[in-house]
Amino acid sequence: MKYIDEYRDKEKILLLASQIKKISTKKIRLMEVCGGHTMAIQRFGIPDLLPDTVELVSGPGCPVCVTSRSYIDKAIAFSKLTDVIITTYGDLIRVPGSSSSLDKEKAHGADIRIVYSVLDALNIADANPLKKVIFLGIGFETTAPGSAAGIMKAHLAQLFNFSVFSAHKVMPPPMAALIDEGVDIQGYIGPGHVSTITGSYIYDFIPKKYGLGVVISGFEPLDMMQSIYMLVNQFETNKPKVEIQYSRAVKTEGNIKAQEILNEVFEYRDDWWRGLGVLKMSGLGIKEKYSEFDAEKLYQVDVEPTKEDKGCICGIILKGVAKPSDCNLFGKACTPSEPVGACMVSNEGACAAYYKYKRE
Amino acid sequence: MRNNETILLGHGSGGRLTHDLIRDLFVKYFKNEILQTQGDSAILNFSNDKLAFTTDSFVVDPIFFPGGNIGNLAIAGTVNDLAVSGAEPKYLSAGFILEEGLSFEYLEKIVKTMAEEADKAGVQIVTGDTKVVERGKCDKIFINTSGIGTLFPNTEGIVMGDHIQIGDKIIINGYIGDHGMAVMSARNNLKINSNIISDCACLNKLIEKALQFGHDVKFMRDATRGGLGTVLAELCEHKSFGINLLEENIPVRENVRGMCELLGFDPLYVANEGKVVMVVAKAYADKILSSLRQHPLGKDASIIGEIVEQHPGRTWLLTSIGGKRIVDMPAGEQLPRIC
């Protein structure tokens, strides 16, 4: 397939593998921040191609995984309001809340619909003027501009039965928090899609302040191998910096238009991350100007007290401190069909990736 | 009957409307001597053959999709279940649950397709049933078909794969994932123009070609819901052998791969309606492959893997870039991802 096969060329990949082996003398742990990378690494069996000196660990870049259970609980509470249609990306539908999940509520009769973009949600709002359509806005800088554009469109069209329940988050704060907490890593495989929007300059503080390299990577195996090579090379030559491997999509300054849309609608706020707790200015709330489209301001609901599952170690897996197979629940009490933690549900979750592709 | 353009509750009443519907639609298209007697049961003639008997229900949204409709599925699904069991499909039943308000034009088109598909496969629809439910109680049309076939000689053990040995080869008769992605792309809420066409087809004539090799075909399964990956994961579960699959040998069309990439799906788990997975003796694998390739439904057949001693109970995929990963049964439906 054009633009895909080129990046799955076995010979080139094996050549890179041998070059990595050649230059890697010291132990190095690299964190792939993005859940899409976690999945690609396992799907293509990349760890098999790396020398013993190079270890990959998964990070906090799976939006569903880091989102609090109270968010799911509140979304479920919204779904029980009369005349409400919940619209959501497929990823969230099976994530367990404290006592239920969106797919269980759907089976009980709540009107919950999977959409592929915020535009689908707008169309549903337009077609159902007597219903209140709530879009579950989840994801990092990748999907946040989409939610923002949705709100701006609704504002323009006076579509007041549309609103967004934002759980949007931004990537740099957890990347800093992980290093501050002393997590043992020597470089970041930077998120590809997020950086398409934000540009690469937002990571400049990582080499400057912490002396760690960041290479923004594409999602194909050749991309990932090249990024690993670049990081190992930085580490071995002691020259940490921000580099863009995914140059066919990412520019230093990013997508200015998308950033403007995001800043028009959202403002930074403190937010809770699974494994990391509350991080300053790490979440995106809807500005006062657009409060008519903010589900949290529009609808008051009683939410059950949040219960996190005991024994689930999603939190430290998201920090790269433990691997999914270190969890006592993994593959036993917690499987994709009966997930305990969010990391087992999401397509991008580390536990789901391990379960699907790597279980021994 | 033609005074009505849509199905009414009365069409399921058992009275005049029902009678007309059966005579003017079902019997007209499915015509054969056994059905025409319109008794409470079809009377079938069998000698002392061993019989295979199967049933399947069909629900699909949308009911018309590129490459077919629910009618093709209802025939091919049951014919293929018989064929992969080593049987020659002979007779089918067809049960319809219709939603009040279904357009007659659609129903006729579906019934006509069923008749054509049955004809191609050489089977007869000899008995049937119709119910009509209130609007909203079913989604347009649900079809159940059951089928009977006579077993070919030398096919015992084929259903469970009892005679599988280390070294046996795994064959698939062509491109995977076409049906699932054709249906996905036809859904209203997904505005993708993919040109993907369902592979829906009766495989019994193709399978007969392989069965000339008798005992050397050791296992067959049609890779429908759950896809190729599920069939193989299931096959070796709790067994004393493992399976190695070669990703680069598995045929996947460009547009199917593209759409899977877009939605975050794995083609290994996408539904097919015209694909059979076979485990065959190593010594005859090439011969069976070339005989399959002589049939239009097998022209893209490929040897995609083998039965191995290592990792018993598990299927491994040797990835196209030289890595490896597990192929397991998926937990549920594949869901599109965020980014």
Side-chain angles (χ1 to χ4, degrees):
Chain A
M1 196 189 312
K2 209 161 181 231
Y3 309 124
I4 291 236
D5 286 338
E6 294 90 329
Y7 299 98
R8 294 183 185 175
D9 182 322
K10 188 173 179 177
E11 271 177 39
K12 289 197 181 107
I13 288 164
L14 294 180
L15 182 68
L16 269 169
S18 73
Q19 285 173 339
I20 292 169
K21 198 170 175 183
K22 210 187 283 174
I23 62 164
S24 178
T25 61
K26 298 182 282 183
K27 275 218 170 276
I28 179 170
R29 286 181 104 218
L30 300 173
M31 174 174 281
E32 78 274 0
V33 178
C34 173
H37 285 146
T38 303
M39 218 53 186
I41 286 165
Q42 299 305 340
R43 176 176 165 202
F44 292 103
I46 285 176
D48 291 330
L49 307 177
L50 298 175
D52 294 340
T53 42
V54 182
E55 190 186 349
L56 301 178
V57 290
S58 314
C62 154
V64 168
C65 307
V66 292
T67 299
S68 72
R69 218 164 236 208
S70 62
Y71 179 84
I72 303 289
D73 292 340
K74 198 161 190 179
I76 289 170
F78 283 148
S79 79
K80 291 177 177 167
L81 294 172
T82 42
D83 291 332
V84 158
I85 302 174
I86 301 283
T87 53
T88 175
Y89 294 123
D91 309 46
L92 268 180
I93 199 103
R94 279 202 285 257
V95 178
S98 295
S99 64
S100 183
S101 64
L102 289 167
D103 71 341
K104 283 182 188 152
E105 293 304 317
K106 186 167 184 267
H108 287 142
D111 195 346
I112 297 169
R113 304 184 191 180
I114 292 178
V115 293
Y116 299 92
S117 83
V118 70
L119 295 179
D120 294 342
L122 283 172
N123 288 337
I124 291 172
D126 194 35
N128 297 277
L130 299 177
K131 300 269 186 175
K132 293 167 268 207
V133 175
I134 301 176
F135 176 70
L136 303 184
I138 189 162
F140 303 117
E141 291 94 329
T142 330
T143 54
S147 296
I151 288 175
M152 286 170 72
K153 274 197 156 196
H155 180 70
L156 207 68
Q158 306 276 295
L159 205 58
F160 290 113
N161 64 331
F162 170 83
S163 62
V164 172
F165 178 25
S166 174
H168 288 299
K169 290 178 164 57
V170 292
M171 223 49 254
M175 289 172 75
L178 284 167
I179 313 174
D180 286 334
E181 279 204 19
V183 171
D184 176 29
I185 50 169
Q186 286 74 44
Y188 276 121
I189 299 174
H193 295 142
V194 164
S195 309
T196 309
I197 307 290
T198 62
S200 62
Y201 74 93
I202 62 160
Y203 311 109
D204 285 346
F205 72 97
I206 294 175
K208 274 191 200 131
K209 185 171 169 195
Y210 299 105
L212 257 63
V214 179
V215 173
I216 295 155
S217 178
F219 294 83
E220 293 301 322
L222 191 58
D223 292 321
M224 309 256 1
M225 289 299 282
Q226 195 184 7
S227 301
I228 293 166
Y229 176 83
M230 290 160 82
L231 281 164
V232 171
N233 192 41
Q234 286 187 17
F235 183 60
E236 292 286 339
T237 56
N238 203 18
K239 286 178 187 154
K241 56 187 162 192
V242 176
E243 289 185 280
I244 303 174
Q245 180 280 331
Y246 197 25
S247 55
R248 61 189 187 279
V250 178
K251 292 180 285 190
T252 311
E253 71 280 11
N255 181 338
I256 309 251
K257 178 91 184 155
Q259 293 166 22
E260 281 169 3
I261 292 171
L262 190 151
N263 289 324
E264 166 67 23
V265 174
F266 288 114
E267 61 193 1
Y268 293 97
R269 63 181 178 189
D270 297 350
D271 205 350
W272 185 92
W273 294 65
R274 179 163 289 110
L276 293 166
V278 174
L279 299 180
K280 279 206 173 320
M281 296 300 175
S282 66
L284 294 172
I286 297 167
K287 283 182 179 168
E288 192 55 39
K289 183 177 170 188
Y290 293 101
S291 59
E292 287 162 308
F293 302 97
D294 186 345
E296 281 182 282
K297 299 229 170 80
L298 287 175
Y299 310 112
Q300 300 307 316
V301 282
D302 289 327
V303 184
E304 60 180 320
T306 303
K307 286 190 298 258
E308 289 284 341
D309 251 289
K310 293 208 173 71
C312 171
I313 62 165
C314 268
I316 56 171
I317 290 168
L318 289 163
K319 289 200 285 191
V321 173
K323 297 212 164 183
S325 44
D326 298 332
C327 180
N328 285 329
L329 306 180
F330 178 80
K332 296 173 203 126
C334 181
T335 62
S337 39
E338 282 294 327
V340 175
C343 305
M344 187 56 99
V345 187
S346 170
N347 250 327
E348 303 180 3
C351 295
Y354 266 67
Y355 189 90
K356 193 164 172 196
Y357 294 139
K358 215 182 149 67
R359 198 160 28 108
E360 296 298 336
Chain B
M1 182 181 83
R2 276 308 169 175
N3 297 334
N4 301 303
E5 288 183 350
T6 57
I7 290 291
L8 306 174
L9 281 173
H11 284 112
S13 67
R16 171 57 58 189
L17 280 175
T18 311
H19 181 86
D20 290 353
L21 176 71
I22 292 171
R23 187 194 57 207
D24 297 344
L25 189 68
F26 299 123
V27 176
K28 175 181 159 197
Y29 282 106
F30 298 157
K31 62 170 178 277
N32 58 68
E33 280 177 14
I34 304 171
L35 182 64
Q36 269 150 2
T37 61
Q38 290 194 53
D40 279 340
S41 300
I43 308 300
L44 310 174
N45 268 324
F46 284 104
S47 52
N48 292 326
D49 291 324
K50 268 196 173 176
L51 299 183
F53 177 41
T54 187
T55 188
D56 210 339
S57 298
F58 299 84
V59 295
V60 62
D61 172 36
I63 53 176
F64 292 92
F65 46 81
N69 62 51
I70 190 171
N72 305 69
L73 288 184
I75 301 298
T78 294
V79 163
N80 292 346
D81 280 349
L82 291 171
V84 296
S85 311
E88 182 182 8
K90 295 274 195 191
Y91 302 109
L92 302 188
S93 70
F96 295 85
I97 295 175
L98 308 176
E99 186 187 15
E100 176 191 17
L102 174 72
S103 107
F104 232 100
E105 188 194 338
Y106 284 0
L107 180 60
E108 181 161 19
K109 214 166 155 184
I110 290 165
V111 169
K112 190 163 171 254
T113 307
M114 290 174 76
E116 287 163 1
E117 197 67 44
D119 207 38
K120 268 193 268 176
V123 295
Q124 292 185 327
I125 299 162
V126 292
T127 185
D129 179 53
T130 311
K131 295 283 183 292
V132 180
V133 296
E134 281 173 47
R135 199 184 270 269
K137 295 283 163 65
C138 95
D139 189 9
K140 298 179 199 71
I141 176 170
F142 297 162
I143 304 177
N144 170 278
T145 53
S146 296
I148 294 183
T150 51
L151 278 183
F152 284 109
N154 300 320
T155 54
E156 64 278 7
I158 214 165
V159 175
M160 302 301 293
D162 295 340
H163 307 304
I164 290 176
Q165 285 174 321
I166 305 297
D168 286 350
K169 298 289 183 188
I170 298 163
I171 295 179
I172 187 133
N173 64 311
Y175 290 94
I176 62 165
D178 293 0
H179 176 72
M181 286 297 120
V183 170
M184 272 301 268
S185 61
R187 289 200 177 141
N188 286 333
N189 58 350
L190 200 65
K191 294 177 187 69
I192 295 180
N193 185 4
S194 63
N195 299 321
I196 301 170
I197 292 170
S198 168
D199 61 343
C200 183
C202 291
L203 296 168
N204 53 325
K205 303 289 178 193
L206 171 79
I207 286 170
E208 271 178 39
K209 287 197 163 280
L211 287 176
Q212 303 161 28
F213 295 87
H215 278 307
D216 293 307
V217 176
K218 301 184 175 183
F219 171 81
M220 286 191 287
R221 181 72 53 84
D222 53 339
T224 53
R225 259 181 322 179
L228 171 65
T230 304
V231 168
L232 294 174
E234 234 170 40
L235 171 62
C236 67
E237 198 175 47
H238 308 306
K239 298 279 173 58
S240 56
F241 56 80
I243 291 174
N244 277 349
L245 275 182
L246 291 168
E247 188 175 33
E248 54 197 2
N249 286 9
I250 301 173
V252 186
R253 285 182 210 280
E254 289 261 301
N255 46 8
V256 171
R257 264 176 71 191
M259 196 164 153
C260 283
E261 289 290 333
L262 200 67
L263 294 172
F265 284 16
D266 185 339
L268 278 180
Y269 300 112
V270 176
N272 309 280
E273 289 294 342
K275 289 297 159 318
V276 54
V277 187
M278 296 181 178
V279 178
V280 304
K282 186 180 176 184
Y284 286 88
D286 289 331
K287 279 190 184 149
I288 294 174
L289 184 70
S290 57
S291 109
L292 288 175
R293 282 182 174 168
Q294 285 164 18
H295 191 279
L297 293 174
K299 66 179 169 33
D300 302 304
S302 170
I303 295 178
I304 56 171
E306 66 178 332
I307 304 293
V308 295
E309 211 173 342
Q310 300 85 2
H311 51 85
R314 287 246 185 272
T315 298
W316 281 95
L317 181 78
L318 309 179
T319 69
S320 53
I321 65 160
K324 60 179 190 297
R325 65 164 160 100
I326 284 184
V327 176
D328 197 3
M329 276 176 258
E333 243 184 301
Q334 297 196 88
L335 293 171
R337 64 180 174 196
I338 295 180
C339 65

